[in-house]
Amino acid sequence: MAEAKRRIEHEAASPVPAKAMLSVFDLDRTLTILPTYTPFLLFAIRTRAPWRILLLPLLLPVAILYALKLVPRRTMKQAMHRVALGPRLAERDAARLADRFARRLVARGLYPQGLALIEAERAAGHRVVIATAAPHFYTAALARRLGIADVIATDSTWRDGCLTPAIGSANCYGGDKRHRVAAFLDRAGIARDRAHIRFYSDHISDLPMLAFADEAIAVNPSAKLRGVAEARGWPILDWRR
C-alpha cells in the first residue's frame, strides 16, 4: 500500500511532457502570391523548350472534361505535366529546374508577411511544415531555401532516374491532405493528443485540415473560406491589401 502511494505521488510530481507545437502552412495563395503549378510549367517551357507552347491546345479536351467534373484534378495535372515537361525528365534536370523556380519564388513570388510569420513561428519553437497539393520535387526545393525540413506534398513518380507525369499517390488536396498530415505525425512518432497544430490556409478545400487543427487561421481567404472563418470565429490574415 505504501509502495503504491509513493508511486502515485511520484507520477503526480513528474512533469507532463510538453506538446509538440506544429505550424503547418498551405503553399499556393497562402505563402505564394499566385498558384505555383501552372507558373512552374510555363517557367519550364520558357527555360527548357519554348516550342512546347505549341502543344498547349492539346490540353483543351482534358480542360473541358475537368471543368465539367468528369475527370479528377489528378488527371488534369498529369496532362499538363506531359505537355510542358514531356514523358521523361532526367532527375538532374528536374532538380536544376526546381531550384531555379524556387529561387524565383523567393525573389518575388512570396508574401513578405508569410516569410516573417514563418520566422516568428520558428522562433517560438514551433516545427514548421508545408502541406500542399503542389508537387513535392519543387516544393522541397523551395522549402530548402526557406530552411524548412518538413514537406507534405503530392508525390511525383520517378522511373529509371527520370521524372514522369504520373502522380505517385493521392493528390495532396482536401481530405487527402488531412490524411497525409496524420500519417506524417505517425512517422514522426507524435501522438495526435500530444501535438498542437496551427494550420494556415487560403482555400475552402482545406476545410478537413482546418477542422483537424487545434488552431485554424484563414490567410488571404477565398470568399467561401472567409465566410466559414467569420462564422466559426477563426482569425483572418489578409496580406493582399
Side-chain angles (χ1 to χ4, degrees), residues 149-223:
D150 297 308
V151 175
I152 302 165
T154 299
D155 294 322
S156 300
T157 297
W158 302 85
R159 189 169 298 130
D160 300 325
C162 292
L163 176 67
T164 75
I167 290 176
S169 62
N171 194 33
C172 187
Y173 183 84
D176 286 321
K177 184 183 291 188
R178 178 221 177 277
H179 294 313
R180 293 283 300 276
V181 170
F184 166 81
L185 294 177
D186 288 341
R187 289 194 305 274
I190 303 172
R192 179 63 187 91
D193 61 355
R194 298 309 308 158
H196 183 95
I197 299 174
R198 184 179 289 163
F199 182 60
Y200 297 89
S201 178
D202 73 294
H203 199 261
I204 194 68
S205 64
D206 273 326
L207 201 54
M209 186 59 214
L210 289 160
F212 183 67
D214 299 285
E215 293 182 67
I217 298 97
V219 181
N220 311 316
S222 63

Side-chain angles (χ1 to χ4, degrees), residues 113-135:
Q113 299 95 324
L115 296 175
L117 182 56
I118 287 172
E119 291 306 315
E121 297 286 56
R122 187 181 283 131
H126 291 208
R127 183 170 181 172
V128 177
V129 181
I130 292 178
T132 175

Side-chain angles (χ1 to χ4, degrees), residues 79-124:
M80 292 168 68
H81 178 123
R82 181 175 291 275
V83 164
L85 296 175
R88 294 165 63 87
L89 179 63
E91 185 173 1
R92 186 175 182 177
D93 293 335
R96 186 182 297 115
L97 186 63
D99 189 64
R100 290 179 65 187
F101 182 67
R103 187 166 65 242
R104 180 187 179 93
L105 282 178
V106 171
R108 54 181 181 273
L110 302 174
Y111 285 105
Q113 299 95 324
L115 296 175
L117 182 56
I118 287 172
E119 291 306 315
E121 297 286 56
R122 187 181 283 131

